[in-house]
Amino acid sequence: MSNLYKVALVGRPNVGKSALFNRLVKKRVSIVDAAEGVTRDRIYGSSELFGKPFELIDTGGIASPNADAFQKQILFQTEVAIEEADSLVMVVDATIGITDLDQMVARKLLKVNKPIVLAVNKVDDESKNLDVYNFYSLGIEDVVGVSAKHGYQVAELLEKALKHAPNTEEIYSKPQADHLRLALVGRPNVGKSTLLNKLLKEERSAVSDIAGTTRDSIDATLYHDGQKITLIDTAGIRKKNKEKEAVEKFAAIRTEDSIERADVCLLMIDSREGLTSFEKRIISKVQELGKGLLIISNKWDLVSGFRMEHCSKGIYDDNMFVKYCPLLFISAKDGRNVDSILQEALEVFNNLNRKVSTSELNRFMERALQFNHPPMIRGKRLRVYYMTQVGTNPIEFSVFINYQNLLAPAYFRYLKNTFRESFAFKGCPVKFHLRDRKKQANRNETFHIKSR
């Protein structure tokens, strides 16, 4: 799970939480609509304020306690976000005023004993600032009038929400995880529970040919070469339109929670079907959370007429975004190649916690720039001042440059591909945070990496 400071946006339906979320993360992530209840699950996004990174959580609207089962599911998701967050931003609507639901939400949040800021949304001009004072009656000390639509006073809102956040050095100084937490994820009936039982050498999970037998996340502990590993067997993730039962909806929620608390994910696929579009979305979720990834192609015993090498090349050629991931062909039923899984997972785990010195990174960057000079854009050339690692598990780097608009997408891809060739980080997604001159204004000195 990300170690960034977390801020959750909460409130009743249709007050502009998703619009504010999109404004703060600077991209359209949450769906914005006039209808109530459009946001149902927790939605995560990353942003920063004055060099201080944080994670933002958008939630569904808190409705009446007598709401239907669907609204209760939204409430459950919101309560999880409140529990997970370090500080809370309650959003209200200035044009409507204080409602009974607003009062209920405020009372609920004040009992949580976490920092709270009240964002009075839809204050689209200064003349409406007077409306803000009425909201102090909700009992929340920090109140800010904002406009999610126009960006009015959103920086002031974030300053209050982040006043208790640690500085960057404290954020990234977390200790290395004590042992590997390994989650088995994938569609129903691809053999996750069979593999779990084979690895544990016992019948720990129920196994059947019926899709969706496992509905809870099951943890089990084993040791490999003296190293402790926690295995998390998850319910299969179904496509949303096939989640007909409420229990299956919650199974999907538990699966996502399992991915979040894992270090490395084993994505199991069916060798007869290859990597489907739905599994690519699972990969996207794993990569978004910065988790290590191994792709396990199961049921190889049912495949004939194909060589592993050819199938492996086909998957990598068609899906370049997983080329950094180990790909193993196994038969969980027969135990073929199962023994190599844990060793590969431990190698990925070690990579997740690996640190590269700033001097090594800057030597790499200097070589990359000299081998292939950045292009001239409008008479100017990209300058890279220095590069440093700012996080492990997930792997994150900051790259300090002169202007972001001088970093052409094709050249950025070249730098990332060259980085992979130099440092590998097998099985690990790598995030690069670009810092341009505007974000370096308070720095006293920089180290310049020559591009010529």
Side-chain angles (χ1 to χ4, degrees):
M1 190 171 291
S2 170
N3 55 312
L4 290 178
Y5 192 83
K6 293 181 175 64
V7 179
L9 302 178
V10 295
R12 63 179 176 82
N14 209 28
V15 291
K17 294 186 298 299
S18 294
L20 183 58
F21 178 88
N22 291 338
R23 168 70 64 175
L24 294 176
V25 300
K26 299 181 178 64
K27 57 184 176 181
R28 188 176 175 85
V29 179
S30 283
I31 300 172
V32 179
D33 195 280
E36 292 186 3
V38 172
T39 302
R40 299 170 181 175
D41 301 318
R42 306 190 312 280
I43 299 173
Y44 293 80
S46 297
S47 189
E48 67 170 14
L49 180 71
F50 305 136
K52 182 180 287 188
F54 65 95
E55 190 166 28
L56 197 65
I57 311 173
D58 187 20
T59 66
I62 299 177
S64 167
N66 300 320
D68 58 24
F70 187 72
Q71 288 295 329
K72 287 179 180 177
Q73 180 187 339
I74 295 175
L75 179 60
F76 167 76
Q77 286 287 321
T78 303
E79 288 175 342
V80 172
I82 292 171
E83 177 66 27
E84 184 181 356
D86 298 295
S87 70
L88 308 170
V89 173
M90 177 180 168
V91 186
V92 294
D93 188 335
T95 62
I96 293 179
I98 299 173
T99 68
D100 292 342
L101 262 180
D102 289 328
Q103 293 175 336
M104 184 200 78
V105 173
R107 288 194 299 270
K108 184 181 184 69
L109 297 184
L110 287 168
K111 293 177 182 177
V112 176
N113 196 29
K114 289 186 178 182
I116 308 173
V117 182
L118 185 65
V120 184
N121 192 27
K122 304 181 185 179
V123 178
D124 295 334
D125 56 68
E126 293 185 7
S127 65
K128 294 183 179 179
N129 269 329
L130 291 175
D131 299 332
V132 173
Y133 294 102
N134 297 327
F135 288 89
Y136 277 96
S137 63
L138 291 174
I140 298 173
E141 184 177 340
D142 288 328
V143 181
V144 183
V146 301
S147 171
K149 182 178 180 180
H150 301 296
Y152 175 64
Q153 292 203 136
V154 292
E156 289 81 354
L157 172 66
L158 281 181
E159 277 192 274
K160 290 185 180 295
L162 296 174
K163 64 183 177 182
H164 298 291
N167 59 40
T168 305
E169 289 74 19
E170 292 172 333
I171 288 173
Y172 292 118
S173 62
K174 66 171 185 174
Q176 180 172 322
D178 57 348
H179 71 280
L180 168 61
R181 294 171 178 83
L182 187 63
L184 280 67
V185 299
R187 291 179 292 127
N189 208 32
V190 291
K192 298 185 298 298
S193 296
T194 303
L195 178 59
L196 177 73
N197 293 335
K198 187 67 68 172
L199 292 172
L200 292 172
K201 298 180 174 60
E202 62 179 81
E203 294 297 317
R204 176 63 180 266
S205 284
V207 179
S208 78
D209 293 329
I210 302 172
T213 301
T214 302
R215 279 176 167 166
D216 290 303
S217 295
I218 302 171
D219 287 7
T221 300
L222 58 79
Y223 289 84
H224 180 78
D225 290 342
Q227 299 188 62
K228 180 181 176 182
I229 300 174
T230 297
L231 284 172
I232 308 168
D233 181 25
T234 64
I237 304 176
R238 291 180 178 273
K239 294 184 180 181
K240 291 289 184 182
N241 59 4
K242 291 186 179 179
E243 291 179 351
K244 296 179 180 178
E245 300 179 57
V247 67
E248 289 181 350
K249 294 179 185 292
F250 282 99
I253 292 170
R254 286 191 293 271
T255 297
E256 291 188 8
D257 288 341
S258 297
I259 293 173
E260 287 183 14
R261 62 190 180 92
D263 301 298
V264 178
C265 295
L266 299 181
L267 173 63
M268 293 194 68
I269 64 176
D270 191 319
S271 294
R272 298 166 297 178
E273 301 177 26
L275 202 60
T276 68
S277 60
F278 183 64
E279 284 155 343
K280 293 175 187 177
R281 290 199 288 274
I282 299 176
I283 292 173
S284 178
K285 181 67 176 178
V286 172
Q287 291 175 334
E288 175 191 331
L289 294 172
K291 307 299 180 179
L293 180 63
L294 280 78
I295 300 175
I296 309 298
S297 187
N298 190 28
K299 304 185 181 181
W300 185 251
D301 55 303
L302 302 179
V303 176
S304 60
F306 295 93
R307 294 174 60 88
M308 286 185 186
E309 296 83 357
H310 296 159
C311 291
S312 177
K313 185 177 185 303
I315 289 176
Y316 283 140
D317 288 348
D318 292 341
N319 307 279
M320 297 295 289
F321 60 95
V322 297
K323 204 162 188 178
Y324 70 92
C325 300
L327 172 60
L328 302 177
F329 292 86
I330 73 163
S331 170
K333 181 180 178 180
D334 298 338
R336 182 178 181 181
N337 290 344
V338 168
D339 292 341
S340 59
I341 293 175
L342 295 181
Q343 194 58 48
E344 288 279 0
L346 284 168
E347 184 178 348
V348 173
F349 178 62
N350 290 334
N351 280 333
L352 278 173
N353 292 285
R354 175 179 155 206
K355 295 179 180 178
V356 182
S357 68
T358 300
S359 58
E360 285 184 85
L361 292 170
N362 288 328
R363 284 195 295 270
F364 149 75
M365 187 63 73
E366 186 168 356
R367 289 193 303 269
L369 293 169
Q370 289 177 344
F371 183 79
N372 183 6
H373 299 327
M376 295 284 288
I377 298 178
R378 296 180 180 177
K380 295 182 179 180
R381 193 185 298 274
L382 172 76
R383 290 186 179 182
V384 180
Y385 297 111
Y386 74 99
M387 178 179 181
T388 187
Q389 186 171 359
V390 295
T392 59
N393 196 6
I395 302 293
E396 296 182 292
F397 296 89
S398 281
V399 183
F400 293 79
I401 61 179
N402 51 351
Y403 298 106
Q404 287 197 29
N405 63 344
L406 297 181
L407 182 56
Y411 195 76
F412 194 22
R413 283 195 298 273
Y414 157 72
L415 290 177
K416 289 188 284 188
N417 291 337
T418 308
F419 176 88
R420 282 285 185 192
E421 293 171 5
S422 300
F423 298 103
F425 280 103
K426 182 172 75 169
C428 304
V430 177
K431 295 181 181 180
F432 296 92
H433 302 286
L434 299 176
R435 304 285 188 262
D436 60 22
R437 274 183 170 173
K438 293 178 182 178
K439 297 174 183 177
Q440 300 176 55
N442 296 324
R443 297 190 61 85
N444 294 322
E445 59 181 271
T446 56
F447 174 74
H448 177 60
I449 299 175
K450 296 178 181 178
S451 60
R452 298 184 182 183

